Amino acid sequence: MRWAEIKVTARPLAAETVASILIEEGCRGAAIASPSASFDGEVQVSGYLPVDDLFEERVRSQAKRIRDMPRFFDVATGSLEITVRPVDEIEWSEAWRAHYKPLVFGKVVVQPSWEHYDPQPDQVVVQIDPGMAFGTGQHPTTALCLLALQEHVRAGNVVADVGTGSGILAIAAAKLGARRVYAIDADSVAVHVAEQNVERNGLEGTIEVREANSPSEIPECVDVLVANIVADVIMDMAEQAAAALKPGGIMISSGIVRERAPDAIRKLESAGLETLKTSEDGSWIAVHSRKLEGSV
Ligand SMILES: C[S@@+](CC[C@H](N)C(=O)[O-])C[C@H]1O[C@@H](n2cnc3c(N)ncnc32)[C@H](O)[C@@H]1O
């Protein structure tokens, strides 16, 4: 696989949004260089994009969304200069590793597999090497799920992680006490990465990873289903997700931008999933729903 680095210069307050755009538009990883180093100056955001059939289209949509940012942003975005250059796979993974540090979400710590971390007694550690898959904990949509899992997963639960990416949420659910976790992803590369991370955390006996694109392929009804994908995919799979839950089971839907939240909530509710609450991080919303008792 050939890779390209997309580098964007932006003011620190705009850098997170640039990183989100790069990831939403196909980058497998994005890093902000020393965001706190110069608050008034500009920082560099780097994303790594596979050079495949979709490459040109993805670069075009990244550039369009980044150049549109000043129209929607109420603080200065900076110059938003974009450069694209080829990188080899080794350079990609080394650049990525240099920026990726342990992150703490409530009692869950996401630890890059090559970093040392001494956990506190009440912390659970999820060791991750994201490889070419999405799911480092750096993206707000993943963070919302990691916090929501801590609210809803009880010891002995059966959990499904739909769109597992690196396996981060499945591993967190298992470490929070789930006795069985089904982790599915439509992308074979993600499935491979997730399997490696499950092994890295010694959870082969608890987490089953498989390539699948619908909750209807989960082999038993679950207490908690988490799906961090995008609003349209979540809406498309709302009925199958509801069917995969036990009555009273919890669905955590993430990857939903604020403007799409009302549509997503309507669709989840019409599938029999009552809204308990929403949680948010910037422009991202996670919907916490419960399958109505008495539903099948
Ligand atoms: C945003 S990433 C989330 C990764 C990880 N769960 C996290 O929270 O960081 C979304 C993942 O969903 C997968 N995906 C997209 N559509 C899917 C579908 N219909 N069924 C299963 N997985 C899907 C993608 O391949 C990708 O790995």
Side-chain angles (χ1 to χ4, degrees):
M1 171 77 77
R2 289 186 305 130
W3 290 85
E5 180 192 61
I6 319 290
K7 204 170 243 182
V8 186
T9 10
R11 282 288 185 91
L13 287 174
E16 275 289 336
T17 306
V18 171
S20 296
I21 291 173
L22 294 180
I23 288 173
E24 283 155 39
E25 300 290 347
C27 282
R28 292 289 169 89
I32 302 169
S34 317
S36 55
S38 58
F39 189 81
D40 286 331
E42 294 198 330
V43 295
Q44 292 203 311
V45 187
S46 309
Y48 301 94
L49 188 63
V51 181
D52 56 16
D53 296 350
L54 296 174
F55 178 73
E56 285 183 14
E57 188 186 324
R58 283 175 163 156
V59 171
R60 261 197 306 278
S61 14
Q62 288 176 347
K64 181 176 180 325
R65 287 183 61 188
I66 288 167
R67 295 208 171 102
D68 276 351
M69 278 176 57
R71 291 203 286 132
F72 304 110
F73 230 67
D74 46 14
V75 293
T77 53
S79 60
L80 300 179
E81 234 167 71
I82 304 173
T83 52
V84 180
R85 75 176 178 98
V87 288
D88 61 33
E89 196 156 328
I90 294 167
E91 200 182 342
W92 181 92
S93 62
E94 279 170 3
W96 175 233
R97 281 174 179 234
H99 291 293
Y100 181 34
K101 301 288 170 209
L103 295 168
V104 180
F105 305 94
K107 63 182 202 174
V108 174
V109 180
V110 180
Q111 178 198 356
S113 57
W114 56 91
E115 285 275 326
H116 178 76
Y117 186 83
D118 287 321
Q120 302 295 315
D122 61 337
Q123 287 182 321
V124 298
V125 177
V126 174
Q127 279 199 30
I128 288 289
D129 185 337
M132 307 292 161
F134 187 107
T136 59
Q138 291 193 319
H139 199 267
T141 60
T142 312
L144 287 169
C145 292
L146 288 168
L147 293 170
L149 287 171
Q150 292 171 62
E151 278 182 55
H152 298 296
V153 173
R154 304 276 171 268
N157 276 177
V158 181
V159 174
D161 174 15
V162 178
T164 196
S166 65
I168 185 170
L169 302 179
I171 295 165
K175 298 235 165 160
L176 289 167
R179 76 177 157 79
R180 186 89 187 120
V181 183
Y182 298 101
I184 67 169
D185 203 290
D187 174 7
S188 59
V189 174
V191 168
H192 180 64
V193 171
E195 280 168 346
Q196 289 180 323
N197 282 319
V198 166
E199 211 180 306
R200 183 169 277 122
N201 287 273
L203 290 167
E204 304 94 312
T206 306
I207 303 176
E208 180 185 319
V209 186
R210 58 165 86 172
E211 187 174 338
N213 64 5
S214 164
S216 52
E217 298 191 48
I218 297 163
E220 64 175 304
C221 284
V222 299
D223 300 285
V224 177
L225 185 151
V226 61
N228 178 18
I229 312 187
V230 288
D232 285 331
V233 176
I234 287 171
M235 288 162 68
D236 282 350
M237 61 173 56
E239 271 144 32
Q240 293 97 309
L245 280 169
K246 296 177 185 171
I250 300 291
M251 171 145 177
I252 302 159
S253 310
S254 187
I256 301 170
V257 282
R258 186 177 300 278
E259 307 84 74
R260 301 303 314 282
D263 288 346
I265 289 172
R266 244 190 317 277
K267 183 73 209 241
L268 290 164
E269 288 183 346
S270 74
L273 296 163
E274 73 170 321
T275 308
L276 297 176
K277 65 181 238 186
T278 57
S279 48
E280 52 189 87
D281 186 339
S283 55
W284 297 100
I285 307 288
V287 183
H288 307 220
S289 322
R290 178 187 284 129
K291 179 168 169 172
L292 297 168
E293 299 281 351
S295 317
V296 279

Short mmCIF file of all heavy atoms in Angstrom, two decimals, residues 23 133-137 139 141-143 145-146 161-170 184-188 190 212-215 226-230 233 237 254-255, ligand 1:
data_model
loop_
_atom_site.label_atom_id
_atom_site.label_comp_id
_atom_site.label_asym_id
_atom_site.label_seq_id
_atom_site.Cartn_x
_atom_site.Cartn_y
_atom_site.Cartn_z
N ILE A 23 -9.73 12.68 9.23
CA ILE A 23 -10.11 11.30 9.55
C ILE A 23 -11.45 10.94 8.90
O ILE A 23 -11.59 9.87 8.31
CB ILE A 23 -10.14 11.09 11.08
CG1 ILE A 23 -8.69 11.07 11.58
CG2 ILE A 23 -10.83 9.79 11.47
CD1 ILE A 23 -8.53 11.03 13.07
N ALA A 133 -6.08 0.90 11.25
CA ALA A 133 -7.51 0.98 11.55
C ALA A 133 -7.82 2.23 12.36
O ALA A 133 -6.95 2.78 13.04
CB ALA A 133 -7.94 -0.26 12.33
N PHE A 134 -9.08 2.65 12.32
CA PHE A 134 -9.54 3.80 13.10
C PHE A 134 -9.74 3.33 14.54
O PHE A 134 -10.26 2.26 14.78
CB PHE A 134 -10.88 4.28 12.52
CG PHE A 134 -11.41 5.55 13.11
CD1 PHE A 134 -11.38 6.73 12.39
CD2 PHE A 134 -11.95 5.56 14.39
CE1 PHE A 134 -11.89 7.90 12.93
CE2 PHE A 134 -12.46 6.73 14.94
CZ PHE A 134 -12.43 7.90 14.20
N GLY A 135 -9.36 4.19 15.51
CA GLY A 135 -9.68 3.85 16.89
C GLY A 135 -8.48 3.95 17.80
O GLY A 135 -7.94 2.94 18.26
N THR A 136 -8.05 5.19 18.08
CA THR A 136 -6.92 5.42 18.97
C THR A 136 -7.39 6.04 20.28
O THR A 136 -6.62 6.13 21.22
CB THR A 136 -5.95 6.43 18.34
OG1 THR A 136 -6.69 7.64 18.12
CG2 THR A 136 -5.38 5.93 17.04
N GLY A 137 -8.63 6.54 20.28
CA GLY A 137 -9.12 7.30 21.43
C GLY A 137 -8.95 8.79 21.22
O GLY A 137 -9.47 9.58 21.99
N HIS A 139 -10.11 10.54 18.76
CA HIS A 139 -11.26 11.19 18.12
C HIS A 139 -12.40 11.33 19.13
O HIS A 139 -12.68 10.40 19.90
CB HIS A 139 -11.72 10.37 16.91
CG HIS A 139 -12.55 11.18 15.98
ND1 HIS A 139 -13.92 11.20 16.05
CD2 HIS A 139 -12.22 12.02 14.98
CE1 HIS A 139 -14.39 12.01 15.11
NE2 HIS A 139 -13.37 12.52 14.45
N THR A 141 -15.53 11.07 18.92
CA THR A 141 -16.62 10.07 18.84
C THR A 141 -16.24 8.81 19.61
O THR A 141 -17.10 8.17 20.21
CB THR A 141 -16.93 9.71 17.38
OG1 THR A 141 -15.74 9.17 16.77
CG2 THR A 141 -17.38 10.92 16.59
N THR A 142 -14.96 8.45 19.60
CA THR A 142 -14.50 7.28 20.37
C THR A 142 -14.53 7.62 21.86
O THR A 142 -14.95 6.79 22.68
CB THR A 142 -13.05 6.92 19.96
OG1 THR A 142 -12.95 6.89 18.54
CG2 THR A 142 -12.64 5.57 20.52
N ALA A 143 -14.09 8.82 22.19
CA ALA A 143 -14.07 9.24 23.60
C ALA A 143 -15.48 9.17 24.19
O ALA A 143 -15.68 8.68 25.31
CB ALA A 143 -13.51 10.67 23.71
N CYS A 145 -17.87 7.23 23.36
CA CYS A 145 -18.24 5.82 23.57
C CYS A 145 -17.52 5.24 24.78
O CYS A 145 -18.11 4.47 25.54
CB CYS A 145 -17.89 4.98 22.33
SG CYS A 145 -18.89 5.38 20.90
N LEU A 146 -16.25 5.60 24.96
CA LEU A 146 -15.51 5.06 26.10
C LEU A 146 -16.16 5.50 27.42
O LEU A 146 -16.25 4.74 28.38
CB LEU A 146 -14.04 5.51 26.04
CG LEU A 146 -13.21 4.83 24.93
CD1 LEU A 146 -11.87 5.53 24.75
CD2 LEU A 146 -13.00 3.35 25.23
N ASP A 161 -19.88 -4.65 19.59
CA ASP A 161 -19.21 -3.43 19.11
C ASP A 161 -19.29 -3.48 17.58
O ASP A 161 -18.61 -4.29 16.95
CB ASP A 161 -17.76 -3.43 19.62
CG ASP A 161 -16.94 -2.27 19.05
OD1 ASP A 161 -17.53 -1.32 18.52
OD2 ASP A 161 -15.69 -2.33 19.17
N VAL A 162 -20.15 -2.63 17.03
CA VAL A 162 -20.39 -2.66 15.58
C VAL A 162 -19.54 -1.55 14.95
O VAL A 162 -19.73 -0.37 15.26
CB VAL A 162 -21.90 -2.46 15.30
CG1 VAL A 162 -22.16 -2.44 13.80
CG2 VAL A 162 -22.70 -3.56 15.97
N GLY A 163 -18.60 -1.95 14.06
CA GLY A 163 -17.65 -0.98 13.51
C GLY A 163 -16.48 -0.86 14.48
O GLY A 163 -16.13 0.23 14.94
N THR A 164 -15.86 -2.01 14.77
CA THR A 164 -14.89 -2.06 15.89
C THR A 164 -13.58 -1.35 15.58
O THR A 164 -12.86 -0.94 16.48
CB THR A 164 -14.66 -3.53 16.31
OG1 THR A 164 -14.04 -3.55 17.58
CG2 THR A 164 -13.79 -4.29 15.30
N GLY A 165 -13.22 -1.18 14.28
CA GLY A 165 -11.94 -0.52 13.94
C GLY A 165 -10.78 -1.25 14.60
O GLY A 165 -10.60 -2.46 14.41
N SER A 166 -10.04 -0.53 15.44
CA SER A 166 -8.89 -1.12 16.13
C SER A 166 -9.30 -2.10 17.23
O SER A 166 -8.44 -2.74 17.83
CB SER A 166 -8.06 -0.01 16.78
OG SER A 166 -8.85 0.60 17.79
N GLY A 167 -10.60 -2.15 17.55
CA GLY A 167 -11.07 -3.01 18.65
C GLY A 167 -11.12 -2.29 19.98
O GLY A 167 -11.46 -2.87 21.01
N ILE A 168 -10.86 -1.00 19.96
CA ILE A 168 -10.72 -0.22 21.21
C ILE A 168 -11.95 -0.33 22.13
O ILE A 168 -11.81 -0.53 23.34
CB ILE A 168 -10.37 1.26 20.87
CG1 ILE A 168 -10.10 2.08 22.13
CG2 ILE A 168 -11.43 1.93 20.02
CD1 ILE A 168 -9.53 3.47 21.83
N LEU A 169 -13.15 -0.23 21.55
CA LEU A 169 -14.35 -0.22 22.41
C LEU A 169 -14.66 -1.63 22.91
O LEU A 169 -15.10 -1.80 24.06
CB LEU A 169 -15.55 0.35 21.64
CG LEU A 169 -15.37 1.77 21.08
CD1 LEU A 169 -16.63 2.20 20.32
CD2 LEU A 169 -15.08 2.76 22.21
N ALA A 170 -14.44 -2.63 22.06
CA ALA A 170 -14.68 -4.02 22.48
C ALA A 170 -13.75 -4.37 23.64
O ALA A 170 -14.17 -4.97 24.64
CB ALA A 170 -14.43 -4.96 21.29
N ILE A 184 -17.57 -6.54 15.41
CA ILE A 184 -17.66 -6.75 13.96
C ILE A 184 -17.20 -5.49 13.22
O ILE A 184 -17.30 -4.37 13.72
CB ILE A 184 -19.08 -7.17 13.50
CG1 ILE A 184 -20.11 -6.04 13.68
CG2 ILE A 184 -19.55 -8.43 14.21
CD1 ILE A 184 -21.44 -6.34 13.00
N ASP A 185 -16.68 -5.71 12.02
CA ASP A 185 -16.32 -4.59 11.15
C ASP A 185 -16.46 -5.06 9.71
O ASP A 185 -16.19 -6.22 9.38
CB ASP A 185 -14.88 -4.10 11.42
CG ASP A 185 -14.70 -2.66 10.96
OD1 ASP A 185 -14.69 -2.41 9.73
OD2 ASP A 185 -14.61 -1.76 11.83
N ALA A 186 -16.86 -4.11 8.86
CA ALA A 186 -17.05 -4.41 7.45
C ALA A 186 -15.70 -4.46 6.71
O ALA A 186 -15.63 -4.97 5.59
CB ALA A 186 -17.95 -3.34 6.83
N ASP A 187 -14.65 -3.95 7.33
CA ASP A 187 -13.35 -3.81 6.65
C ASP A 187 -12.39 -4.91 7.15
O ASP A 187 -12.14 -5.01 8.35
CB ASP A 187 -12.82 -2.40 7.01
CG ASP A 187 -11.41 -2.15 6.50
OD1 ASP A 187 -10.88 -3.00 5.76
OD2 ASP A 187 -10.84 -1.11 6.86
N SER A 188 -11.86 -5.69 6.21
CA SER A 188 -11.03 -6.83 6.62
C SER A 188 -9.73 -6.36 7.30
O SER A 188 -9.20 -7.05 8.17
CB SER A 188 -10.71 -7.73 5.42
OG SER A 188 -10.04 -6.96 4.45
N ALA A 190 -9.43 -3.76 9.30
CA ALA A 190 -9.80 -3.47 10.69
C ALA A 190 -9.94 -4.77 11.49
O ALA A 190 -9.48 -4.86 12.63
CB ALA A 190 -11.10 -2.66 10.73
N ALA A 212 -18.15 -8.45 9.30
CA ALA A 212 -19.60 -8.44 9.07
C ALA A 212 -20.03 -6.99 8.96
O ALA A 212 -19.38 -6.09 9.49
CB ALA A 212 -20.31 -9.11 10.23
N ASN A 213 -21.16 -6.77 8.27
CA ASN A 213 -21.58 -5.38 8.09
C ASN A 213 -22.97 -5.09 8.64
O ASN A 213 -23.55 -4.06 8.32
CB ASN A 213 -21.49 -4.98 6.60
CG ASN A 213 -22.44 -5.78 5.77
OD1 ASN A 213 -23.22 -6.58 6.31
ND2 ASN A 213 -22.39 -5.59 4.46
N SER A 214 -23.46 -6.00 9.50
CA SER A 214 -24.78 -5.73 10.07
C SER A 214 -24.91 -6.37 11.44
O SER A 214 -24.44 -7.49 11.66
CB SER A 214 -25.85 -6.30 9.14
OG SER A 214 -27.07 -6.38 9.84
N PRO A 215 -25.61 -5.68 12.37
CA PRO A 215 -25.84 -6.28 13.69
C PRO A 215 -26.61 -7.59 13.61
O PRO A 215 -26.59 -8.38 14.54
CB PRO A 215 -26.66 -5.22 14.43
CG PRO A 215 -26.44 -3.95 13.69
CD PRO A 215 -26.15 -4.32 12.27
N VAL A 226 -22.72 -1.02 21.05
CA VAL A 226 -22.12 0.28 20.77
C VAL A 226 -21.78 0.33 19.29
O VAL A 226 -21.28 -0.64 18.72
CB VAL A 226 -20.89 0.54 21.68
CG1 VAL A 226 -19.77 -0.47 21.49
CG2 VAL A 226 -20.34 1.95 21.49
N ALA A 227 -22.11 1.47 18.65
CA ALA A 227 -21.80 1.62 17.22
C ALA A 227 -21.27 3.04 17.02
O ALA A 227 -22.01 4.01 17.18
CB ALA A 227 -23.05 1.40 16.36
N ASN A 228 -19.98 3.13 16.73
CA ASN A 228 -19.39 4.44 16.41
C ASN A 228 -19.11 4.44 14.91
O ASN A 228 -18.03 4.02 14.49
CB ASN A 228 -18.11 4.66 17.23
CG ASN A 228 -17.45 5.99 16.89
OD1 ASN A 228 -18.09 6.87 16.31
ND2 ASN A 228 -16.18 6.12 17.21
N ILE A 229 -20.08 4.85 14.13
CA ILE A 229 -19.89 4.80 12.66
C ILE A 229 -20.21 6.21 12.12
O ILE A 229 -19.47 7.14 12.40
CB ILE A 229 -20.70 3.66 12.01
CG1 ILE A 229 -20.49 2.33 12.79
CG2 ILE A 229 -20.26 3.47 10.57
CD1 ILE A 229 -21.09 1.09 12.18
N VAL A 230 -21.28 6.37 11.41
CA VAL A 230 -21.73 7.72 11.00
C VAL A 230 -23.25 7.66 11.00
O VAL A 230 -23.83 6.57 10.94
CB VAL A 230 -21.25 8.14 9.59
CG1 VAL A 230 -19.78 8.46 9.55
CG2 VAL A 230 -21.62 7.12 8.55
N VAL A 233 -25.22 5.37 8.42
CA VAL A 233 -25.08 3.92 8.61
C VAL A 233 -25.85 3.49 9.86
O VAL A 233 -26.55 2.47 9.86
CB VAL A 233 -23.58 3.51 8.69
CG1 VAL A 233 -23.43 2.03 8.98
CG2 VAL A 233 -22.85 3.88 7.41
N MET A 237 -29.01 0.83 10.04
CA MET A 237 -28.97 -0.44 10.78
C MET A 237 -29.79 -0.40 12.08
O MET A 237 -29.71 -1.32 12.88
CB MET A 237 -27.53 -0.88 11.04
CG MET A 237 -26.72 0.04 11.86
SD MET A 237 -25.07 -0.62 12.32
CE MET A 237 -24.27 -1.04 10.81
N SER A 254 -22.76 6.54 18.13
CA SER A 254 -21.84 7.68 18.07
C SER A 254 -21.39 7.89 16.62
O SER A 254 -21.76 7.13 15.73
CB SER A 254 -20.66 7.41 19.01
OG SER A 254 -19.83 8.54 19.11
N GLY A 255 -20.62 8.98 16.42
CA GLY A 255 -20.22 9.33 15.06
C GLY A 255 -21.28 10.22 14.41
O GLY A 255 -21.30 10.38 13.19
C1 LIG B 1 -15.28 5.61 13.11
S1 LIG B 1 -14.62 4.00 13.01
C2 LIG B 1 -14.84 3.49 14.72
C3 LIG B 1 -13.71 2.64 15.24
C4 LIG B 1 -13.76 2.37 16.74
N1 LIG B 1 -14.95 1.60 17.10
C5 LIG B 1 -13.74 3.67 17.53
O1 LIG B 1 -14.74 3.96 18.19
O2 LIG B 1 -12.74 4.39 17.51
C6 LIG B 1 -15.95 3.18 12.15
C7 LIG B 1 -15.68 1.74 11.76
O3 LIG B 1 -16.91 1.21 11.27
C8 LIG B 1 -16.65 0.35 10.18
N2 LIG B 1 -17.92 0.24 9.43
C9 LIG B 1 -18.47 1.12 8.56
N3 LIG B 1 -19.68 0.66 8.13
C10 LIG B 1 -19.89 -0.53 8.76
C11 LIG B 1 -20.95 -1.49 8.75
N4 LIG B 1 -22.06 -1.34 8.01
N5 LIG B 1 -20.83 -2.59 9.54
C12 LIG B 1 -19.74 -2.79 10.30
N6 LIG B 1 -18.69 -1.92 10.33
C13 LIG B 1 -18.77 -0.81 9.59
C14 LIG B 1 -15.47 0.99 9.48
O4 LIG B 1 -14.76 0.05 8.71
C15 LIG B 1 -14.65 1.55 10.65
O5 LIG B 1 -13.67 0.62 11.07
#
